[in-house]
Amino acid sequence: RPGAGPAARPKPAAPPAEHKRVVRIEGGIPVTELARHMGVKGNELLRGLWRLGLTSATRNTIVDADVAQILASEHGYEVRDVSFREAEALAAAPDPPGSRRPRAPVVTVMGHVDHGKTTLLDTIRETHVAPAEPGGITQHIAAYRARAGDLGEVVFLDTPGHEAFAAMRARGAQTTDIVVLIVAADDGVMPQTLEALAHAREAGVPIVVAVNKIDAPSARPDRVRGQLAEHGQIPEEWGGDTTFVDIPARTGDGVDDLIASLSLNAEALGLAANPDKPAAGTVIESRLERGRGVVASVLIAEGSVKTGDTVLAGEHYGRVRAMTGEAGARVTRAGPSEVVDIVGIGGVPEAGAPVHVTDEEVAKRAAAERRDRKSRAAQDARTGRSIRDLMKRIKATHQRTLRVVVKADVHGSAEALTSALEALSAEDVTLSIVRTGVGAITESDVDLATASGAMIVGFRVRPVGGAAERADREGVALETYDVIYTAIEDIRRAMEGMLDPVVAEHPIGDLEVREVFRVPKVGTVAGCAVMSGKLRRHGRARVFRDGARVFDGDVRSLRRFAQDVSEVEEGHECGVHLGFEGVRAGDRIEAYEIVQEARTLKHARGSRSVP
Ligand code: GDP
């Protein structure tokens, strides 16, 4: 045969063209699809998977980027994972040499209750903070920037206590450069003093001790030094390295010294940051304010934020509409170690949430993924606790809830489908996503659906292993779709199917029985006059006698002049057979019909959740 090779050996995979061939995937790809992209047989890739030890893989198995790359490279292809990687998207370029400039230290004051934290911060604000500009918004400031002449500049964070400090740290926020531990000289070291000390040490930040109330008659500042020395904070004057400053917080004497020593500590720490790049920072606190909307107090760690920038703050983002600085005045730019109130973020971020100035696309995706992660974590916690409990509760409340397990080919479509389905949730039937996942529908999905009474919706994925059989056996509804719109329409109909149809009665006519006759083989027939409206053969009728209902049933036959007719109108006479042998002359007949209307989902007005 012309062109036939010398041997029947399988032809090796054709080498790739000169240019590297690339398959773009988002997180994962089904084996069949990868095969299609490379123009090879699915089974060929499957054998590759089996060689890798993935013996339970089928053609529908979704492989991740790493595995896909191994399979692809055998065929001369490259797999590029184009899914969103938050850390990479938000990573800042290294600072060019010389771009970092010294910045003020950010200080948190902690201590035992009543040892004078509030008094100290108030005094500092009165004596060392530039007064708010007239007309500035002064209602609440999460931080004070204190200046002590040329002794230095310090930013004091006004957080509610060391619990808040710990909570922020738990979210990964390292906001504080130095902790001021305030101890009343007349009271000495107390339990919360030691707690605060533990938190500060845990955070690995230097501690400066402010010995307060030295004006009190019973003040014993040396005892404070001794007590803290016992706990490992040896005063400098005793040869240790902890700075102790005596400050009668009430008078403000000593605040200069405190600021100076904080400033010195900061110098020793070499605090510096590059102000000329997109800002990164932390939410100190946030709130919803009438008139302004979401206001987030943000501590800038590095870079700068300007009005008009897009800001990502935890699970929310938005464009900076306006900013208020520490002194309560409007600012258009804020840099390292500054705290600004930012207006324009789309939702209220948590204290401790990381903040990044970034482009809108990145902000949008990161916010969505963080929300998704959070709700998934919440879901896992819920379903993990006890699905049976949950079902019991639903049954007890006669709640109508359609539960859905969503599986999709890639994360993006899982997210899109999930949010579209969640939007179907209405007043009378709610939809609840039990699990959202990427990958083929597995037996464990069926188990979850069985346990939670859920249906399974697969988007561009199919059941694998024994999943389809198990779903059949357990009576779990399992639907797969390749078009999002179809999925949503189907689910909407399923939800509407959970609603009882509205059954309505419409009266259609009024008749008077003039005489009755017995018709052989039929029974009693009422000779009637239609007083108003009409009577229909396939309708219903009630018989009233002296105002009391004596019969209610179907109209069995309707005749006019010995002819069967389908309806008789007002002003005419007719013979009606109701199957009611007791009908008498003088009875009144009310004709009515029953109309069933399928109900549609009613969405609660104003039920959109406030962010
Ligand atoms: P916080 O609970 O740590 O915020 O403590 P406060 O600032 O509310 O102070 C508790 C009490 O100590 C208040 O009655 C203050 O007037 C008093 N106090 C604060 N600083 C001084 C001080 O320097 N000297 C004296 N004698 N009392 C003070």
Side-chain angles (χ1 to χ4, degrees):
R1 287 162 300 158
R9 237 184 295 132
K11 232 172 74 185
E18 299 73 58
H19 61 282
K20 191 85 172 163
R21 292 190 240 180
V22 173
V23 182
R24 288 167 192 281
I25 68 168
E26 260 193 84
I29 186 169
V31 172
T32 38
E33 211 167 298
L34 181 60
R36 195 171 51 74
H37 275 298
M38 302 189 298
V40 300
K41 290 235 164 62
N43 283 340
E44 208 171 315
L45 290 194
L46 260 193
R47 278 195 292 277
L49 274 178
W50 293 340
R51 275 200 304 277
L52 291 172
L54 299 168
T55 46
S56 61
T58 70
R59 299 158 58 118
N60 295 314
T61 299
I62 291 177
V63 292
D64 64 19
D66 291 340
V67 173
Q69 179 55 66
I70 294 169
L71 295 178
S73 58
E74 288 175 8
H75 299 274
Y77 274 79
E78 186 193 321
V79 167
R80 207 167 286 160
D81 187 358
V82 295
S83 62
F84 181 66
R85 290 187 203 285
E86 186 186 298
E88 277 169 30
L90 295 176
D95 292 319
S99 63
R100 292 168 69 82
R101 267 163 261 159
R103 63 172 181 85
V106 179
V107 171
T108 300
V109 182
M110 299 196 278
H112 195 75
V113 67
D114 274 349
H115 279 198
K117 177 189 147 182
T118 312
T119 310
L120 174 63
L121 287 172
D122 285 351
T123 304
I124 290 171
R125 190 170 44 171
E126 277 159 29
T127 58
H128 289 79
V129 174
E133 283 181 17
I137 301 154
T138 54
Q139 50 207 13
H140 188 97
I141 299 168
Y144 314 98
R145 174 171 301 259
R147 286 190 184 83
D150 48 10
L151 293 176
E153 199 176 276
V154 175
V155 176
F156 287 92
L157 284 191
D158 190 3
T159 52
H162 58 252
E163 292 85 358
F165 180 81
M168 276 207 249
R169 291 215 335 110
R171 281 178 211 123
Q174 182 79 291
T175 50
T176 301
D177 299 311
I178 304 168
V179 162
V180 168
L181 185 64
I182 190 164
V183 189
D186 58 349
D187 208 13
V189 168
M190 297 298 279
Q192 284 171 47
T193 313
L194 295 177
E195 263 176 50
L197 184 62
H199 282 297
R201 281 202 187 135
E202 238 260 306
V205 296
I207 297 157
V208 169
V209 180
V211 182
N212 190 27
K213 306 194 190 181
I214 52 165
D215 57 314
S218 57
R220 292 170 59 197
D222 273 351
R223 189 178 62 134
V224 174
R225 285 171 170 77
Q227 287 172 325
L228 283 176
E230 274 172 35
H231 285 96
Q233 301 299 135
I234 321 278
E236 281 165 341
E237 57 264 46
W238 296 3
D241 50 16
T242 304
T243 310
F244 280 68
V245 185
D246 291 336
I247 45 144
R250 222 182 235 167
T251 62
D253 293 344
V255 170
D256 274 357
D257 288 347
L258 179 64
I259 291 174
S261 66
L262 291 170
S263 199
L264 277 173
N265 264 279
E267 251 179 65
L269 290 170
L271 299 176
N274 172 9
D276 299 316
K277 62 177 180 183
T282 306
V283 174
I284 302 300
E285 55 166 48
S286 57
R287 59 208 178 267
L288 207 52
E289 256 179 39
R290 189 182 295 232
R292 290 213 290 172
V294 174
V295 181
S297 300
V298 174
L299 169 68
I300 310 297
E302 53 181 353
S304 289
V305 56
K306 301 181 290 295
T307 40
D309 282 346
T310 297
V311 159
L312 167 70
E315 296 148 28
H316 303 281
Y317 74 101
R319 246 169 62 94
V320 179
R321 278 208 312 272
M323 297 195 291
T324 317
E326 292 139 7
R330 282 212 164 207
V331 294
T332 53
R333 182 191 167 106
S337 292
E338 286 187 56
V339 174
V340 269
D341 278 359
I342 292 180
V343 178
I345 297 169
V348 183
E350 283 179 318
V355 173
H356 290 93
V357 168
T358 180
D359 61 71
E360 183 162 351
E361 196 47 41
V362 170
K364 193 171 162 180
R365 286 195 76 164
E369 298 216 347
R370 287 171 182 181
R371 269 200 292 271
D372 194 70
R373 264 203 304 276
K374 189 174 171 183
S375 72
R376 231 176 318 145
Q379 249 165 37
D380 287 351
R382 258 200 318 266
T383 49
R385 213 174 298 137
S386 167
I387 290 160
R388 223 168 278 147
D389 283 358
L390 200 68
M391 293 308 291
K392 258 193 228 148
R393 270 207 311 279
I394 289 167
K395 287 220 176 80
T397 55
H398 300 285
Q399 202 185 318
R400 293 168 200 264
T401 303
L402 179 64
R403 293 169 185 283
V404 184
V405 172
V406 173
K407 290 301 284 282
D409 54 346
V410 291
H411 189 73
S413 50
E415 189 180 298
L417 184 57
T418 302
S419 59
L421 289 180
E422 271 168 348
L424 287 178
S425 220
E427 238 174 28
D428 22 25
V429 180
T430 54
L431 185 137
S432 144
I433 305 286
V434 179
R435 175 194 279 170
T436 308
V438 172
I441 298 162
T442 62
E443 291 187 35
S444 108
D445 294 321
V446 177
D447 289 343
L448 176 63
T450 309
S452 57
M455 73 176 290
I456 301 174
V457 173
F459 181 68
R460 294 194 185 141
V461 292
R462 301 286 180 266
V464 294
E469 292 75 28
R470 190 177 294 207
D472 259 347
R473 210 165 50 239
E474 301 286 351
V476 169
L478 189 161
E479 299 288 347
T480 58
Y481 302 89
D482 292 302
V483 179
I484 267 199
Y485 172 79
T486 321
I488 295 162
E489 276 313 295
D490 260 11
I491 306 291
R492 183 203 305 281
R493 273 197 291 277
M495 288 171 74
E496 286 176 350
M498 293 172 81
L499 296 168
D500 296 326
V502 187
V503 177
E505 277 186 13
H506 293 303
I508 56 168
D510 225 333
L511 298 86
E512 229 176 70
V513 181
R514 295 282 159 85
E515 51 184 325
V516 296
F517 7 85
R518 289 205 52 83
V519 176
K521 291 192 198 131
V522 173
T524 308
V525 171
C528 307
V530 182
M531 311 304 291
S532 68
K534 58 178 120 181
L535 181 72
R536 284 206 183 113
R537 188 167 63 210
H538 296 299
R540 308 245 321 161
R542 293 191 183 100
V543 181
F544 290 87
R545 187 170 300 152
D546 303 319
R549 196 185 66 186
V550 291
F551 178 77
D552 191 351
D554 293 324
V555 174
R556 294 199 181 171
S557 69
L558 181 59
R559 286 189 155 203
R560 191 164 150 68
F561 302 121
Q563 292 283 314
D564 279 310
V565 291
S566 57
E567 67 177 31
V568 180
E569 302 241 355
E570 180 177 334
H572 297 287
E573 294 193 337
C574 57
V576 185
H577 178 227
L578 294 170
F580 176 40
E581 299 307 311
V583 66
R584 281 191 221 153
D587 287 350
R588 202 176 62 74
I589 296 179
E590 183 191 57
Y592 67 97
E593 52 187 12
I594 291 173
V595 184
Q596 285 208 351
E597 292 162 353
R599 275 166 57 187
T600 51
L601 295 176
K602 198 160 75 215
H603 290 266
R605 252 176 306 152
S607 69
R608 285 172 66 90
S609 54
V610 179

